[in-house]
Amino acid sequence: MQTKYMEEEDSPNPAGKSSPRDITSDSYLYFKGMIREGTRGLIAGFGIVICREGDDNLLFQMKGSLHDPNITVLEAELMALKLGLFEAVSLGIDHISIYCDNEQIFELVMGRSMPEQENIAKLMDGVEHIRQLLKSSIPVLVTGNQTKKTCGICFDNDIKAEKKMFSNALCNHQFCVECMKQHIEVRLTEGGVPRCPHYGCQSNLTLGSCVHLLTPKLREIWELRIKEDSIPVCDRFHCPNPRCWALMSKTELFESTQEDGVRRCCFKCHKPFCINCKVPWHSNLSCDEYKTLSLKPSTTLRRQCRKCQHMI
């Protein structure tokens, strides 16, 4: 499998290399390969950070995309590790600690488990070949509290804490605040309720945890989405007033008491309408009379939607 790397623009310098500095002391490598769902399919990327041990002195940082539509998370992780080790050798580093936050990766690098798939075996061969160029490369399994935070959308790291991060309380996946704002806006605009963008995660995002990321307009849209989800599709009814279009429940409308059997008023704009014809109230006309008139040729083009039966 051939996968190309695309380097981003925000590396320490255009080539992604660090400036000359003291790198004789032990260093550590933090790497991350990730996949997320985009609007046009899966998007894979990686993040790499090499620091000097003890003071978090940044030696190298890079992020980029992995151009392979069929890549797996494990492959992305190993590609990031391989590239990170290559950069460590290029920097002249002799001793490095490999920080793994994935237990499967840790077991593979430790040699305590063998890859079952051929593509994973080839990637591990590449990793081991580069490790032989180092005097020492010690795998270290780290917990979530010890790892560097990596945005699952832009694949950026918070090594210098320059970006504010958002953490989904339901799954603890972390993303840049600005990335989350864009993700939420896109999902709401597409007509859905935002959920965690991490690949394979089924956790939803809650309005309460994201309210500080929303504009008043987006908050209104999200509240509407929540209301829509609470009403079964077959029970949804929109106000026929084109300036309102408020969402209501047919059950609640039928149960509301009105002077006429089919006359109702919108809960939001309070304009009367016919719940049977799904149009603004037709005064002095029965439903049959209105439908007969609406079928006659008119300068105003009005038709009934085949899906929701509203007059449009």
Side-chain angles (χ1 to χ4, degrees):
M1 177 182 60
Q2 295 182 348
T3 301
K4 298 180 180 179
Y5 301 104
M6 183 183 73
E7 188 173 318
E8 298 291 335
E9 298 292 334
D10 57 348
S11 301
N13 59 54
K17 305 297 182 182
S18 65
S19 302
R21 60 181 83 183
D22 179 19
I23 55 175
T24 57
S25 59
D26 287 348
S27 304
Y28 72 84
L29 164 66
Y30 173 68
F31 62 96
K32 196 66 184 172
M34 290 164 290
I35 298 177
R36 68 177 178 88
E37 294 181 8
T39 55
R40 297 183 179 181
L42 298 181
I43 300 174
F46 67 91
I48 298 168
V49 171
I50 301 176
C51 292
R52 187 164 52 201
E53 193 71 50
D55 57 3
D56 267 3
N57 193 355
L58 179 64
L59 299 177
F60 180 89
Q61 183 175 20
M62 185 171 69
K63 65 176 182 177
S65 300
L66 300 171
H67 299 285
D68 187 335
N70 300 315
I71 194 172
T72 65
V73 175
L74 181 57
E75 289 173 316
E77 290 268 32
L78 290 175
M79 289 175 186
L81 171 57
K82 182 179 177 180
L83 185 59
L85 289 171
F86 174 81
E87 295 297 342
V89 172
S90 300
L91 288 170
I93 294 174
D94 293 325
H95 306 278
I96 196 166
S97 297
I98 304 172
Y99 280 19
C100 306
D101 63 359
N102 183 313
E103 188 171 355
Q104 185 179 8
I105 298 288
F106 175 73
E107 293 294 325
L108 286 171
V109 179
M110 284 290 293
R112 295 196 293 214
S113 68
M114 299 300 294
E116 297 179 357
Q117 295 121 338
E118 182 180 354
N119 55 341
I120 301 300
K122 288 182 178 180
L123 285 170
M124 282 303 303
D125 287 343
V127 168
E128 293 305 317
H129 175 73
I130 300 175
R131 289 181 69 188
Q132 291 175 7
L133 303 178
L134 297 160
K135 291 182 179 179
S136 68
S137 56
I138 303 173
V140 179
L141 182 61
V142 295
T143 63
N145 294 330
Q146 296 171 309
T147 59
K148 302 300 176 186
K149 298 176 183 177
T150 304
C151 176
I153 296 177
C154 70
F155 312 116
D156 204 1
N157 302 97
D158 72 335
I159 186 67
K160 292 295 184 181
E162 294 174 348
K163 288 191 174 184
K164 294 182 179 179
M165 302 292 285
F166 170 87
S167 178
N168 185 7
L170 298 179
C171 59
N172 294 323
H173 291 134
Q174 310 221 348
F175 312 92
C176 299
V177 167
E178 292 303 317
C179 289
M180 280 305 298
K181 288 180 179 179
Q182 296 177 19
H183 169 73
I184 291 171
E185 182 176 0
V186 169
R187 292 301 181 188
L188 290 175
T189 303
E190 290 178 343
V193 176
R195 61 180 179 84
C196 177
H198 190 277
Y199 176 66
C201 182
Q202 300 299 318
S203 299
N204 288 323
L205 297 172
T206 62
L207 176 59
S209 65
C210 300
V211 68
H212 63 292
L213 307 177
L214 305 174
T215 62
K217 181 63 176 179
L218 289 178
R219 179 173 181 173
E220 181 181 349
I221 295 175
W222 197 330
E223 290 172 345
L224 178 61
R225 297 285 182 267
I226 294 175
K227 183 176 181 180
E228 287 178 346
D229 284 351
S230 67
I231 302 175
V233 176
C234 60
D235 198 37
R236 294 175 188 175
F237 185 93
H238 286 277
C239 174
N241 179 4
R243 295 185 178 181
C244 177
W245 199 243
L247 177 66
M248 294 169 281
S249 165
K250 290 181 183 177
T251 301
E252 293 180 356
L253 287 170
F254 278 117
E255 291 176 352
S256 63
T257 56
Q258 297 287 343
E259 60 186 36
D260 194 296
V262 294
R263 185 179 184 272
R264 296 292 186 275
C265 287
C266 174
F267 297 156
K268 184 177 181 180
C269 70
H270 306 294
K271 298 289 186 181
F273 61 84
C274 175
I275 195 172
N276 184 28
C277 301
K278 298 181 176 64
V279 296
W281 182 241
H282 40 71
S283 303
N284 302 320
L285 291 174
S286 67
C287 292
D288 291 337
E289 291 171 335
Y290 174 80
K291 291 179 179 179
T292 300
L293 289 174
S294 66
L295 294 175
K296 293 181 178 180
S298 172
T299 56
T300 302
L301 298 178
R302 294 173 61 86
R303 293 185 180 181
Q304 193 174 45
C305 175
R306 295 179 179 180
K307 185 175 182 180
C308 68
Q309 306 305 314
H310 281 81
M311 296 300 294
I312 55 177

